[in-house]
Amino acid sequence: MKWDISDIDSWKTDDFPLGAVIPEAGNSHYYRTGGWRSERPVRNVETCTDCLICWIDCPDTAIHVADEKIAADWLDLDHCKGCGICANECPVEAITMVPEGCELPEVR
Ligand code: SF4
Ligand code: SF4
């Protein structure tokens, strides 16, 4: 859809098209916030205690859990936006943020 905004300076409040429409519940799943990421979290499985604080605090629900533990395929890269909240909140510093494109450490 294209809008003609050539006369936008004269628009009144009701002339602006409706924004921020949520057509259905859960539609944020279709918005890949992973496209914003410049850094990704790497988890050290040897120091992780499976406390799940990172899972609770992740704003994009990008951390997977299975059997009340962090799952083996723990990170949803389609939705992890690289904000670093998980690394900041981890009580045992088991998560490190690394730049995208760099070689990942062996333990993750
Ligand atoms: S917050 Fe840290 S210790 Fe807790 S589950 Fe996440 S990575 Fe593991
Ligand atoms: S970096 Fe941010 S978006 Fe990605 S898993 Fe951690 S808290 Fe979630």
Side-chain angles (χ1 to χ4, degrees), residues 35-47:
W36 306 352
R37 194 178 55 250
S38 60
E39 292 187 324
R40 74 169 63 192
V42 174
R43 183 176 65 107
N44 185 330
V45 296
E46 292 175 359
T47 53

Side-chain angles (χ1 to χ4, degrees), residues 4 7 12 15 17 27 40 46 69 72 77 80 95 108:
D4 177 8
D7 59 345
K12 306 288 184 229
D15 296 328
N27 68 334
R40 74 169 63 192
E46 292 175 359
K69 292 182 177 179
L77 288 171
C80 169
I95 297 178
R108 53 182 153 145

Side-chain angles (χ1 to χ4, degrees), residues 41 54 57-60 62-63 75 79-87 97:
C54 56
D57 286 342
C58 174
D60 288 282
I63 295 175
L75 193 57
H79 294 98
C80 169
K81 63 188 172 198
C83 66
I85 289 174
C86 53
M97 299 302 292

Side-chain angles (χ1 to χ4, degrees), residues 1 5 11 15 23 31 35-36 49 51-52 61 75 78 82 86-87 92-93 95 101 103-105:
M1 178 179 182
I5 58 169
W11 285 11
D15 296 328
Y31 189 71
W36 306 352
T49 61
C51 70
L52 305 186
T61 325
L75 193 57
D78 280 345
C86 53
V92 295
E93 299 182 0
I95 297 178
E103 203 165 305
L104 297 178

